[in-house]
Amino acid sequence: MVDIAFRTPVATDGWRVHGLVLRCPPLDVNSTYCNVLQCTHFAATSLVAETANSLVGFVSGYLLPCDPTTIFIWQVAVAPEHRSQGLALAMLSELLERDECRNVTSLETSITRANLPSWHSFRALARSLGANLAAEPWLSRATHFSSQHESEYLVRIGPIAHRHSKHILKEAHR
């Protein structure tokens, strides 16, 4: 992997995040305003990855208001030229190590059946954590999306142990 730095996003990253997501189908493209909110209101539980010249990765997440021991990962974007290098796994690991996630014992996300790279990344994360991964139908194409979006599966990983990043990063580079 080239030299990539991880940091907490700031408001001015919103536009760059929007551009990155546009390059990452099948990810849903949100408004730039939404991306700015992710980079401000949810900055503590989000992360950007960048090289000297460009933003190459983004993870957005939030602690569930009804259960702050669970982090919901909203989106993981990796620039096409940086895929298959363990970047998604490294970003998720870095995020889980933050002080804001010190009480997190489980991770949730949603994935469409066809998004194989996401399934691969989250299965690898679960293996690296020595945690279980469970998936179940969650949001239905017909019921929740008026047949305009694929059905989403709720994926839950847990229990999560803490201070594990060195182990995950080793796994990412295998």
Side-chain angles (χ1 to χ4, degrees):
M1 200 175 338
V2 297
D3 193 22
I4 297 175
F6 299 144
R7 66 173 173 78
T8 301
V10 295
T12 53
D13 290 318
W15 181 254
R16 296 170 70 206
V17 166
H18 186 77
L20 174 64
V21 172
L22 283 170
R23 296 177 52 219
C24 296
L27 293 182
D28 288 331
V29 178
N30 297 302
S31 70
T32 304
Y33 179 73
C34 177
N35 295 136
V36 170
L37 291 178
Q38 290 171 311
C39 293
T40 55
H41 290 191
F42 302 102
T45 50
S46 296
L47 177 143
V48 294
E50 59 191 352
T51 63
N53 299 322
S54 62
L55 190 117
V56 298
F58 177 67
V59 175
S60 62
Y62 57 90
L63 299 177
L64 292 182
C66 61
D67 179 7
T69 66
T70 299
I71 187 168
F72 186 89
I73 300 300
W74 183 348
Q75 208 164 42
V76 178
V78 175
E81 63 274 15
H82 290 277
R83 292 185 185 151
S84 301
Q85 300 173 27
L87 182 56
L89 190 58
M91 290 190 301
L92 290 165
S93 170
E94 178 77 16
L95 185 60
L96 288 171
E97 289 298 320
R98 288 195 179 158
D99 284 341
E100 292 81 7
C101 294
R102 69 184 163 276
N103 296 321
V104 167
T105 58
S106 62
L107 177 149
E108 290 183 350
T109 193
S110 67
I111 309 173
T112 61
R113 184 184 304 269
N115 190 340
L116 299 180
S118 286
W119 284 106
H120 176 77
S121 293
F122 284 99
R123 284 183 179 125
L125 178 64
R127 276 193 312 276
S128 296
L129 294 170
N132 296 321
L133 181 146
E136 62 186 62
W138 185 38
L139 301 173
S140 161
R141 174 180 171 87
T143 304
H144 300 99
F145 299 119
S146 190
S147 298
Q148 301 300 307
H149 185 286
E150 293 303 312
S151 294
E152 296 273 349
Y153 287 78
L154 182 64
V155 176
R156 185 172 180 90
I157 296 173
I160 295 173
H162 290 280
R163 304 300 173 220
H164 55 273
S165 63
K166 289 183 177 77
H167 174 72
I168 290 177
L169 290 174
K170 283 182 194 173
E171 183 74 23
H173 292 287
R174 284 187 181 174

